[in-house]
Structures are given as structure tokens and as C-alpha cells.
Amino acid sequence: MTEDTGEIPVVTDPGELVVVTGMTGAGRSTAAKELEDLGFFVVDNLPPELVTEVVRLVDEKMGRGQPIAVVVDVRGGTRFGSLREQIALHLPTRRASVLFLEADDDILVRRQEAARRPHPLQEGGRLLDGIHREREVMTQLRGDAEVVIDTTPLNVHQLKDKVAAAYGTPEAVGLKVTVVSFGFKYGVPVDADLLADMRFLPNPFWVPELKDLTGQDPSVASYVKDRTDAQTFLERYLPVVETVGEGYLREGKRFMTVAIGCTGGKHRSVAMSEELAARLRSAGIDADATHRDLGRE
């Protein structure tokens, strides 16, 4: 029998502890179900002060290798100040992170009305009033989150894919970079950690033989990225991403979203996102390119 010294031992292969939170109607339940399918032990609607107790019970009954996901939201009150303290308690034995789900106000209103349920902070007023109160409560937590997913343009299957991409391989503890192309005319991605504007490059839209193609077409990609200024940007921007990524890892943040924009999200941003992701992979960083607005024109 070993003596209990009261200290939390450091384990060499800690399991995940994911705190799922975010705006009401942004998809917390869908994210939780996907994590459960990925093998996580999931607890919904948990007050922040009970995170420690859940982790203790799972460690005792299932072992520290069992990944855990807890859903924390405004239904459990506004005691989010203690959440970071609760998470910090488990850093020696758990790879802890916060998954925050976000969406635009009009989307949240539409989803909440479809569910025919009042907002937990509506307090007898308008639904939008409840959403605004919730944003105020969640501001600090959103800023602290390691992973932010904007579910505004996503359907259920796309959200599940994003959660699976982030947490499907809990053994991987390196940096995961998502390079997302977008069109400025459709708005800047709210979940971007870094943002770069490709509108300084000539637009293939004005080249008749390239106009109807996309940045995934080799002829468009060559037109965009083979230019001297495009190459200079890539050579100088890659070290920026690497430097920020190293800092993220030191701070326990393993996921980064790099947004690359152009006017419509069809040509320049797509080609440069693909090239940046390829260079990151060549540098040994887990990186994928996705294209938010491709096909919208």
C-alpha cells in the first residue's frame, strides 16, 4: 500500500479534459455528443465547482487515461471565475482545454426560436436581450478558450467534423493549425487567431481564362503564388505562424486558426491558404486548409 501524500502525481500519458461551453444555441449538445462518440466520458450542465469532483471520480473508476468532457453553461449560474482555477488543478494529470462554441446573434435567435424554448438569461424580456447578457458573461471565458468554433455557417455534420478534427486523436499533443480562406465581403471569421489579407496580390478574377476557376486549380494557384511578392509574403509569414505556435504550446493552447482573406474567397485566399498549409506541413506542423466561402459566388 502506498502512502497518500495529498500531492497529485504527474503521469506520463495524461488523458484529455475538455470543458465544452459557449453560447446557447451554438451547438454545445452536438459537440458533446461527438466527443462521446470519440470515447469521452461526458457530463452535461455541470457547475464549474464540480469539475474537480468529476475528474476525481473518473480517475478512480476508469483511470487517468479516460478522456473527459464537461459541458458548462449559464444554466449552471455565472460562476465562471473559478473555472480556470478548477482546470489548473488538473494540468499535472490532464491535457486540459476549453472548447468555446460561437455563432452570430441572428443565427442564435433562429435556432432558439426553432427549439421553442426561452433563453436562460432572457428574464422575461426579448430573446436578443438574453443573448446579449450571455455574451457579457462569456466574454472572459471565450478569450481564454484554446479552441473557438464559429458554428454560424455550419450544419450538424460539419460541426461534428470540426470537433473530431480537434479532439479525435487525444494522443497528439502538438500544434494543430487550420488555415481557412475567406472573402472579406462575407465577413472576417470570428474564430481567427491570425489574419492576413491577400488583396495586395493581382486578382485572377480580371483574367478571362481564370475568372471562373478557383484557387485550387493549378493555373490559378500558379498565377497567385508564383509571384515574387507572394513568395516574399509566404517566406516571412511562415516564421510568424511558427513563433506564435510555439508560444501557444508553452501556454497550453494547441489549436490555431489562421485566416487568409481576399475579396470573394475564391482565388487568391484559396491558393495562398493551400500553399501556407503545405509549407507548415513541410515544417513538421499538423496543418490543413479549409475554404469557408468557396462556391458562394
Side-chain angles (χ1 to χ4, degrees), residues 26 32 240:
V240 172

Side-chain angles (χ1 to χ4, degrees), residues 61-128:
K61 301 296 184 181
M62 307 175 72
R64 291 189 175 125
Q66 170 63 49
I68 303 170
V70 296
V71 182
V72 177
D73 55 55
V74 292
R75 291 176 297 170
T78 58
R79 300 177 296 274
F80 295 115
S82 65
L83 184 56
R84 268 298 169 189
E85 297 174 4
Q86 294 288 319
I87 293 174
L89 290 174
H90 306 294
L91 289 179
T93 60
R94 292 277 170 181
R95 296 195 300 271
S97 63
V98 173
L99 167 60
F100 192 97
L101 299 170
E102 171 70 277
D104 292 345
D105 284 358
D106 58 335
I107 297 297
L108 295 177
V109 169
R110 190 183 312 162
R111 293 173 182 172
Q112 200 69 10
E113 287 179 342
R116 297 186 178 181
R117 298 180 62 186
H119 190 282
L121 296 184
Q122 193 167 338
E123 299 176 359
R126 300 168 59 228
L127 176 55
L128 200 56

